[in-house]
Each structure stands twice: as structure tokens, then as C-alpha cells.
Amino acid sequence: MSEAQNDTLVEVRHLKQYFNITVGMFKSKPLKAVDDVSFSIRRGETLGLVGESGCGKTTVGRTLLHLYKPTGGEIIYDGKPIETAADIHNFRKKATMVFQDPYSSLNPRMTVSDIIGEPLDIHKMYSDKAARQERILELMDQVGLNSEHAARYAHEFSGGQRQRIGIARALALNPEFIVCDEPVSALDVSIQAQVINMFDELQEKMGLTYLFIAHDILVVRHISDRIAVMYLGKMVELADAKEIYEHPLHPYTKSLMSAVPQPDPKVARANKRIVLEGDIPSPLNAPSGCPFRTRCPNATAACAEEMPPFEEVAPGHFAACHRIAELN
């Protein structure tokens, strides 16, 4: 984990991603997967993005890279808005993604060499075949794969090795920014540690900037400089990793943090688990006002009327809750 610098590399302003869902004959309704999300990531920083399944984490990452066309909002990279097709093409040379499932994100008909070399082919980043092959072997060495693996196919590898192939592919164009979409959730715990340590080493060596999406708070805390928490398409809290872990302000974040296992039995016994009642609502029929109010033990009538603003409540600590001052 590198020290965060002052200059902003990625800025997302009021990002929206709605999907039209058919709900009846000739009727459709917008599913608000991401609704008015704003954040920035400094150069060399890792921003962790956490939340329950279905809260919109992955959609944020994919929309940021224009794998989905944003419904609204602005994505600014290195001070320049990403708007035209040419902007997106140039942006994808500098920004890439490591996908969640190493079993479905690699083409089973392509050799490891062709999978890793595909970005080089698309962007024509080599002078001849020898230079291409040299770059592929260099990338394989960077992620701990043997050169003799180059002619093999993805199904011949374990999950951890497949994810290393995906990471090598993501590094092919020497990117500055990588969206890591739950890159260790499909792996065994022992392999998770190896892959996370490799992300740390690559960041230090290459000066990379990460948006690290995960639902495991311990993983996110280990690798992140700052952590953002999402609930039902909305950003509810954002702060330094240590600050949000030790002093969560939003009721939802408090519930998440109370569920983190404690290795010390005394601390574990003293820890009061905050259990949320009810299920997460459907994004198709999200509650009015604050989306968390239907499960929040502190909700009032005001919470149903309007969405609380996402604002700075302490230096560098942002939250969206009408009762933030009286509850903390």
C-alpha cells in the first residue's frame, strides 16, 4: 500500500447507472443500480468499495471503465472528462479491470500467451512477434507464472493461477489505474493472501492506483488506504481505512463492522453484534428518502421524506445520514 499523494487521478461525479427492466406488457421500469455516487481516488492510492451483494459495487467499477454506458454523471481521469469514443479508447490504455471469476473471465479456446497478449494485439503495442512474446513472458514472470505455461490453456490451471493470468492480462498495457472486482472472493483463503500481497507489491513497484471492490471487510482493510461503503446504489460513508474501521458513523457501516470476526476472545465477547432486521429491498422498488431506513434502528419520519446529503462530517470523513450528529 503506497502513501496517498495529493493529486487526484480518478474523479466520479454524480454517477448514475439505470437499467430498464420489463415489468409487464409494454411496460418497463428503471432499476437504479448506481444512483448519484461521487468519489475521487488519488494517484497511487487504493480505495476499497464494500457493501452487500447487489448494492451496485461491481456496476460502479464497470461503468467507470465504460463497460456500461453511464446513465448520468461525469467520469474524470487525470483532469480530463471521458466523453467521446476517442476518450474511451485512450482511457482503456491507462485503465483496466481484474474480474471476479477466474473461471469465466478467461477464454477457454485461447492459450495463456494469447489471453495475455490480447490487449497488446488490440492496441498494437509491439513492433514484431518476438517483441510481443518477450513482453508476454515478462508479464508472466511479474505475476509468478512459469514461461513454459504460455502454450497451455486456462482449464489446465488452478483458480489462483487463473487469477494470475487475469492480472497479467490487466498489466499488459502498463496501466496506471486498475479496477479490482472482488478478485479474491472465488479463491481459497491461503491463495487470497498470496494474491493480495501480489497486488501490494505490484502497486509499490509500478505506482498503480486501485479501486478495490470486495465484500470482505478484513481484505479491504488490509489493502485499502480509504474505504467507501455502498448500500442499495448509494454511497453512505467514506473515510480512511483505520478511521472507518475504528469509528464508523453511519448505522449501516456500524452493523458491517460489528460483524467482523475478532481474533481476541475477550474483545469478541465484549463486541456487541448489531443485527439488522429484514431483507435488503429490491433496487426496482427502493424506499423513498434514505434507502437504509427500512432496516435502520434509528429511522424517523424525516428519513422517509428525503435522501440525506453525502457530506463531510469530520475532516476526510463523509457520511449520508440525517441523524449523524446526534447518534455519534
Side-chain angles (χ1 to χ4, degrees):
M1 196 173 352
S2 64
E3 285 186 13
Q5 297 169 10
N6 291 328
D7 52 329
T8 298
L9 181 67
V10 180
E11 190 174 358
V12 172
R13 296 179 185 167
H14 308 293
L15 187 68
K16 294 179 181 179
Q17 184 61 63
Y18 299 168
F19 299 104
N20 281 326
I21 305 295
T22 303
V23 291
M25 190 72 74
F26 309 117
K27 281 186 179 180
S28 65
K29 190 175 182 180
L31 186 151
K32 298 181 178 181
V34 178
D35 194 14
D36 199 17
V37 164
S38 300
F39 60 88
S40 62
I41 309 175
R42 294 187 285 266
R43 198 179 296 273
E45 178 187 39
T46 299
L47 177 68
L49 187 59
V50 299
E52 290 173 87
S53 295
C55 73
K57 307 184 299 293
T58 293
T59 307
V60 166
R62 289 174 176 243
T63 306
L64 204 162
L65 292 181
H66 280 265
L67 299 182
Y68 300 143
K69 185 181 178 183
T71 306
E74 272 187 300
I75 297 161
I76 298 163
Y77 186 81
D78 208 5
K80 186 183 177 187
I82 310 298
E83 294 170 341
T84 66
D87 292 339
I88 295 168
H89 181 77
N90 293 328
F91 176 48
R92 285 186 180 155
K93 289 182 183 177
K94 301 170 187 173
T96 186
M97 190 166 193
V98 175
F99 294 92
Q100 176 177 0
D101 186 1
Y103 294 91
S104 62
S105 62
L106 304 178
N107 190 328
R109 292 194 175 94
M110 292 170 72
T111 63
V112 170
S113 178
D114 287 337
I115 288 169
I116 296 172
E118 191 174 21
L120 302 173
D121 299 337
I122 291 167
H123 294 279
K124 299 177 174 59
M125 298 291 285
Y126 53 87
S127 51
D128 53 43
K129 285 190 176 180
R132 177 185 185 271
Q133 190 62 17
E134 185 183 339
R135 176 64 178 148
I136 289 166
L137 295 179
E138 181 190 327
L139 288 161
M140 291 179 69
D141 181 59
Q142 269 187 311
V143 298
L145 293 169
N146 295 327
S147 56
E148 56 262 31
H149 291 160
R152 290 164 63 179
Y153 291 87
H155 72 269
E156 299 177 61
F157 295 90
S158 67
Q161 288 174 312
R162 290 187 200 198
Q163 197 59 291
R164 288 172 188 267
I165 296 167
I167 293 166
R169 176 178 62 185
L171 296 172
L173 301 177
N174 276 325
E176 298 173 323
F177 175 59
I178 300 180
V179 174
C180 307
D181 180 19
E182 304 208 30
V184 296
S185 65
L187 308 178
D188 293 339
V189 174
S190 58
I191 306 300
Q192 284 185 8
Q194 292 175 21
V195 173
I196 287 167
N197 289 336
M198 185 172 67
F199 275 118
D200 268 342
E201 288 162 16
L202 289 168
Q203 184 175 46
E204 201 167 309
K205 186 177 173 184
M206 301 173 67
L208 294 168
T209 303
Y210 295 140
L211 174 64
F212 197 93
I213 299 165
H215 58 260
D216 188 330
I217 300 222
L218 289 175
V219 168
V220 171
R221 188 195 179 198
H222 175 76
I223 199 171
S224 302
D225 296 293
R226 290 186 301 148
I227 295 175
V229 181
M230 279 187 72
Y231 184 84
L232 212 64
K234 298 274 192 183
M235 192 80 82
V236 296
E237 191 160 0
L238 170 63
D240 286 343
K242 186 179 179 186
E243 170 71 14
I244 207 167
Y245 193 83
E246 294 178 357
H247 305 291
L249 298 179
H250 194 279
Y252 177 60
T253 313
K254 289 178 181 178
S255 171
L256 286 182
M257 295 303 170
S258 77
V260 175
Q262 297 290 344
D264 185 335
K266 288 183 181 177
V267 175
R269 278 194 294 270
N271 187 34
K272 291 182 180 178
R273 176 81 171 88
I274 302 170
V275 181
L276 297 176
E277 294 184 3
D279 295 321
I280 186 167
S282 164
L284 259 183
N285 298 296
S288 61
C290 175
F292 184 59
R293 68 176 177 81
T294 57
R295 301 173 75 195
C296 180
N298 309 301
T300 65
C303 301
E305 290 168 14
E306 61 175 336
M307 174 66 193
F310 186 68
E311 57 191 6
E312 194 168 16
V313 292
H317 198 145
F318 297 80
C321 177
H322 287 304
R323 302 186 64 196
I324 206 90
E326 59 184 290
L327 295 174
N328 296 283

